[in-house]
Amino acid sequence: MRHKDEMSVFTQDHINRAASAALAYPALMMEYEYTDLALRDPLCDRFIRRLVYNDLIPGMQLQGDPATIIDRAIKALREGPEKIARLTLNGSDVMRDVFSPVSVNLLKEGRSPQYCAFMIAVWFRCMMGYTHRLKPLEVEEPHQRAIYTRISVGNHSKGGLIEDIFDFKLYMSDNFQALLEKQHRNIFENGTREAMGILLNGPKPRLANTPG
């Protein structure tokens, strides 16, 4: 395991792994079973592209044409229909090796890692083991039950972050905790699909005569 104070060196492979997670966990909550069907969903496609462009590329300080980097990640996902559950294997490693350090790097630069926060919130939600309609989830994360137990009894004021997966700097960042709590609430109140739409497009405007 990489020491948390070491400088991370990122490559296209890290982008591809993160893109796989960005497809897998939201798609599972939306009850997709195979990657090809999920990738046809414009919402999933837009989320992956926005995550890579807004958070991953700047947070990794990757050099190169962003469109090419994104296209390579999408192409890797399109290489053949695959059960989405397979993409969840060792998801905790992707959280530790990619989403956690990228979030820390963005915070250092004064940027808001809102797409990473959404991903971590969806990942937490998948670790509960069932969808919004209480349908059991097929998750191949080998430590899923242990992670869920730790989240359930963890410090909810800190978003349930797990110290040996997420950088301790995220615990200490009020900005990140606010982002994570906002996305936890967004997903819980609206479901994953609508929550993703709110993240990408903003909340739906209320009708003039709608109370509140």
Side-chain angles (χ1 to χ4, degrees):
M1 180 174 175
R2 188 185 66 246
H3 191 277
K4 293 181 181 179
D5 291 332
E6 290 180 8
M7 184 66 180
S8 301
V9 177
F10 294 107
T11 66
Q12 178 73 48
D13 180 63
H14 290 93
I15 292 280
N16 294 354
R17 290 173 63 200
S20 292
L23 176 66
Y25 292 104
L28 276 177
M29 292 302 298
M30 296 179 194
E31 301 187 17
Y32 283 111
E33 188 174 0
Y34 289 94
T35 56
D36 57 337
L37 296 176
L39 284 168
R40 292 176 197 166
D41 187 326
L43 199 63
C44 293
D45 182 82
R46 283 182 58 213
F47 173 69
I48 294 170
R49 293 175 185 276
R50 190 82 63 85
L51 167 76
V52 175
Y53 184 81
N54 283 40
D55 282 10
L56 297 183
I57 292 176
M60 294 180 182
Q61 299 181 339
L62 278 185
Q63 302 300 312
D65 175 49
T68 300
I69 293 171
I70 293 169
D71 286 345
R72 286 173 179 164
I74 297 294
K75 181 180 179 181
L77 289 171
R78 294 188 188 278
E79 286 185 345
E82 184 175 358
K83 287 200 73 172
I84 288 173
R86 288 290 302 159
L87 301 183
T88 66
L89 185 63
N90 298 323
S92 57
D93 293 344
V94 182
M95 297 297 137
R96 181 193 64 212
D97 297 339
V98 181
F99 288 103
S100 178
V102 163
S103 297
V104 170
N105 290 346
L106 290 172
L107 290 166
K108 285 180 181 176
E109 296 172 4
R111 301 175 66 126
S112 175
Q114 59 177 335
Y115 297 97
C116 286
F118 183 86
M119 264 307 305
I120 293 170
V122 174
W123 179 74
F124 278 139
R125 183 61 184 77
C126 283
M127 292 301 102
M128 295 176 70
Y130 54 88
T131 70
H132 301 288
R133 297 194 302 165
L134 303 183
K135 179 181 177 181
L137 284 175
E138 185 180 353
V139 179
E140 295 202 11
E141 164 65 62
H143 308 297
Q144 182 262 333
R145 185 175 295 276
I147 290 169
Y148 171 59
T149 300
R150 293 165 68 189
I151 293 169
S152 299
V153 301
N155 184 348
H156 293 284
S157 67
K158 292 296 187 182
L161 289 174
I162 301 170
E163 186 175 354
D164 58 359
I165 294 177
F166 297 100
D167 195 301
F168 187 71
K169 297 181 183 71
L170 296 184
Y171 284 87
M172 304 305 293
S173 169
D174 291 338
N175 288 339
F176 186 80
Q177 294 300 336
L179 284 173
L180 186 58
E181 180 57 34
K182 178 180 179 180
Q183 295 308 328
H184 278 312
R185 187 168 59 252
N186 185 17
I187 293 165
F188 177 78
E189 294 177 354
N190 300 299
T192 299
R193 170 173 288 281
E194 187 170 342
M196 187 183 289
I198 291 170
L199 177 67
L200 292 169
N201 306 314
K204 294 179 180 178
R206 291 181 180 272
L207 298 176
N209 296 325
T210 301

